[in-house]
């Protein structure tokens, strides 16, 4: 009984397995019968009578001719432009680190980063103890000079009447000259601190000694950096500068170009600059510097342009597209890019419309030399004249048709 049950279970398992196999086979047959058929018709059908009919010549039917957009070659201006990538930077020729002319501690800071300042505007002040001594020297020497002048004047009057000996007059003259030299030295000492003649005259006139000296901007521009803080000890020429002022009306655009392109660039060439922050705006400028040396590791050199930015829309270190007009635009024969076929041998060819017969339009292959590209159109410098009719689209189809029939 156990043996019978075991045989029964084995027979049932075989039946189930067979059913599964049949079901899979039926499903596969249904899948292959019901799947969509791949399209086999080419984009441009090739009816009888078309194909290669003579060396460098093919014929196509009327329906195919419409898809080739047969028409005349045109003319347009092509700009001789070189594209590269560079960075926006400050115009270092118009950027001034404003140092103090004297050692001391900053007393007041009157500007902050981003402020627009005028030429001559006070940026910060410095307490300079040495100025007190120089001012005191000026006041004392000015008084001594006035006294010496008066003494010499009286001596000259007395000498005319022989009321004093000549030796005394000469001594008074020497004293006056010494007092004058000391006075001039005191004035020069104050001027070395950066004081103007008006400031020195005020100290001499008012006998006032002010140790808080102003540091003024030499140019009009924008404060691009400020490290000045009240109480900071500053010295002439010691970096970093307490305040940096830059004229932001023009900025630099710097790009590193290959050594092989050195001969293309000249000072004065027009430049167009675009940045990601203003995708619809073009900034203009001119090349102001072409590098005097080539980087030994990268074999590149710097090309720099001054870019106009009167609205202050650019920022240093922005990445920019750099378009340089190397020469004036040239007018040339222009065809759509789809009309030119780049062949396996490296040559470029177009298909020029020839005679039309009862079986269709004939096209003759013609090798051409291409120049610049602009706006989806290619300049033809040799091999084609303006006004000649050619296939302006799907020219690659004609080349493939010719090669297929040539094999």
């Amino acid at each position: 009984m156990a043996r019978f049950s075991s045989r029964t279970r084995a027979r049932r398992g075989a039946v189930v397995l067979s059913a599964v196999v049949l079901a899979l086979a039926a499903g596969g047959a249904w899948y292959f019968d019901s799947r969509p058929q791949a399209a086999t018709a080419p984009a441009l059908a090739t009816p009888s009578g078309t194909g290669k009919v003579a060396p460098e010549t093919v014929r196509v039917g009327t329906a195919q001719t419409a898809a080739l957009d047969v028409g005349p070659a045109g003319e347009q201006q092509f700009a001789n432009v070189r594209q590269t990538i560079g960075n926006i930077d400050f115009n270092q020729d118009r950027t001034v680190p404003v140092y103090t002319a004297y050692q001391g501690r900053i007393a007041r800071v009157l500007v902050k980063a981003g402020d627009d300042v005028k030429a001559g505007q006070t940026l910060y002040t410095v307490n300079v103890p040495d100025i007190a001594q120089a001012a005191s020297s000026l006041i004392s020497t000015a008084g001594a000079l006035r006294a010496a002048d008066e003494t010499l004047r009286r001596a000259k009057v007395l000498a005319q009447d022989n009321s004093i000996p000549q030796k005394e007059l000469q001594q008074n003259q020497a004293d006056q000259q010494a007092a004058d030299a000391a006075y001039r030295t005191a004035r020069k000492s104050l001027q070395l601190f950066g004081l103007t003649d008006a400031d020195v005259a005020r100290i001499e006139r008012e006998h006032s000694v002010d140790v808080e000296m102003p540091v003024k901007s030499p140019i009009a521009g924008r404060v691009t950096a400020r490290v000045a803080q009240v109480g900071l000890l500053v010295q002439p020429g010691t970096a970093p500068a307490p305040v940096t002022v830059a004229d932001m009306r023009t900025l630099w655009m710097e790009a590193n170009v290959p050594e092989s392109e050195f001969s293309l660039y000249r000072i004065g060439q027009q430049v167009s600059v675009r940045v990601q922050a203003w995708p619809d705006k073009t900034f203009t400028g001119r090349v102001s510097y072409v590098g005097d040396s080539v980087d030994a590791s990268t074999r590149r050199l710097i090309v720099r342009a001054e870019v106009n930015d009167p609205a202050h829309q650019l920022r240093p270190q922005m990445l920019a597209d750099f378009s340089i007009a190397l020469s004036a635009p040239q007018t040339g024969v222009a065809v759509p890019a789809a009309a030119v076929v780049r062949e396996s041998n490296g040559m470029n060819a177009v298909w020029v419309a020839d005679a039309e017969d009862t079986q269709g339009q004939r096209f003759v292959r013609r090798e051409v030399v291409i120049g610049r590209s602009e706006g989806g159109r290619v300049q033809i410098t040799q091999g084609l004249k303006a006004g000649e009719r050619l296939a302006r689209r799907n020219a690659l189809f004609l080349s493939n048709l010719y090669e297929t029939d040539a094999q």
Side-chain angles (χ1 to χ4, degrees), residues 68-318:
L68 297 173
D69 186 27
V70 179
E75 283 187 332
Q76 76 174 51
Q77 285 193 335
F78 290 90
N80 187 9
V81 175
R82 182 70 60 173
Q83 303 281 347
T84 187
I85 295 176
N87 290 308
I88 302 295
D89 198 1
F90 290 111
N91 184 341
Q92 299 298 335
D93 292 339
R94 297 290 298 164
T95 300
V96 182
V98 185
Y99 292 98
T100 175
Y102 17 77
Q103 180 178 337
R105 295 189 180 276
I106 294 179
R108 292 181 295 155
V109 182
L110 306 177
V111 295
K112 60 182 182 296
D115 285 352
D116 291 322
V117 297
K118 299 178 181 179
Q121 179 177 335
T122 300
L123 305 177
Y124 58 98
T125 63
V126 179
N127 283 325
V128 187
D130 291 343
I131 289 184
Q133 182 178 354
S136 297
S137 177
L138 174 66
I139 294 171
S140 62
T141 56
L145 178 60
R146 287 193 298 271
D149 287 340
E150 182 60 23
T151 300
L152 179 60
R153 185 188 65 79
R154 289 198 304 267
K156 287 180 178 180
V157 173
L158 293 174
Q160 290 176 356
D161 298 333
N162 294 321
S163 300
I164 60 172
Q166 191 67 25
K167 181 179 179 180
E168 184 177 346
L169 175 62
Q170 293 174 349
Q171 182 61 50
N172 290 333
Q173 289 175 335
D175 292 343
Q176 190 275 340
Q177 290 173 358
D180 182 67
Y183 171 74
R184 293 179 183 275
T185 301
R187 286 184 63 90
K188 180 61 69 175
S189 296
L190 285 173
Q191 290 172 349
L192 291 176
F193 282 104
L195 297 180
T196 65
D197 289 339
D199 294 331
V200 175
R202 179 181 58 80
I203 293 174
E204 181 180 349
R205 181 178 63 255
E206 300 177 1
H207 292 183
S208 62
V209 179
D210 190 355
V211 298
E212 184 178 338
M213 302 309 300
V215 180
K216 301 178 180 180
S217 176
I219 64 170
R222 175 170 294 179
V223 176
T224 58
R226 196 206 82 173
V227 298
Q229 298 293 339
V230 174
L232 179 67
L233 178 65
V234 291
Q235 298 185 22
T238 301
V243 174
T244 300
V245 178
D247 185 348
M248 302 289 286
R249 291 174 298 178
T250 62
L251 294 172
W252 277 358
M253 166 71 189
E254 292 189 331
N256 293 310
V257 301
E259 174 186 357
S260 58
E261 298 181 1
F262 170 69
S263 61
L264 300 177
Y265 300 101
R266 297 285 185 277
I267 293 176
Q269 290 171 327
Q270 187 172 352
V271 174
S272 298
V273 176
R274 301 178 71 90
V275 296
Q276 294 180 357
W278 306 97
D280 299 327
K281 185 175 180 60
T282 299
F283 300 87
T284 61
R286 291 192 178 276
V287 174
S288 60
Y289 174 75
V290 179
D292 292 316
S293 63
V294 176
D295 189 290
S297 58
T298 63
R299 311 311 306 174
R300 289 176 171 266
L301 71 156
I302 290 178
V303 173
R304 179 185 302 149
E306 286 191 6
V307 179
N308 298 317
D309 183 28
H312 303 306
Q313 294 175 311
L314 297 176
R315 294 294 182 271
Q317 303 313 313
M318 278 184 171

Side-chain angles (χ1 to χ4, degrees), residues 33-85:
D33 289 342
S34 61
R35 66 179 179 175
Q37 299 296 314
T40 57
L44 295 176
T46 55
S48 60
T50 64
K52 179 180 178 181
V53 295
E56 309 296 330
T57 305
V58 295
R59 180 196 293 122
V60 297
T62 303
Q64 295 169 318
T65 302
L68 297 173
D69 186 27
V70 179
E75 283 187 332
Q76 76 174 51
Q77 285 193 335
F78 290 90
N80 187 9
V81 175
R82 182 70 60 173
Q83 303 281 347
T84 187
I85 295 176

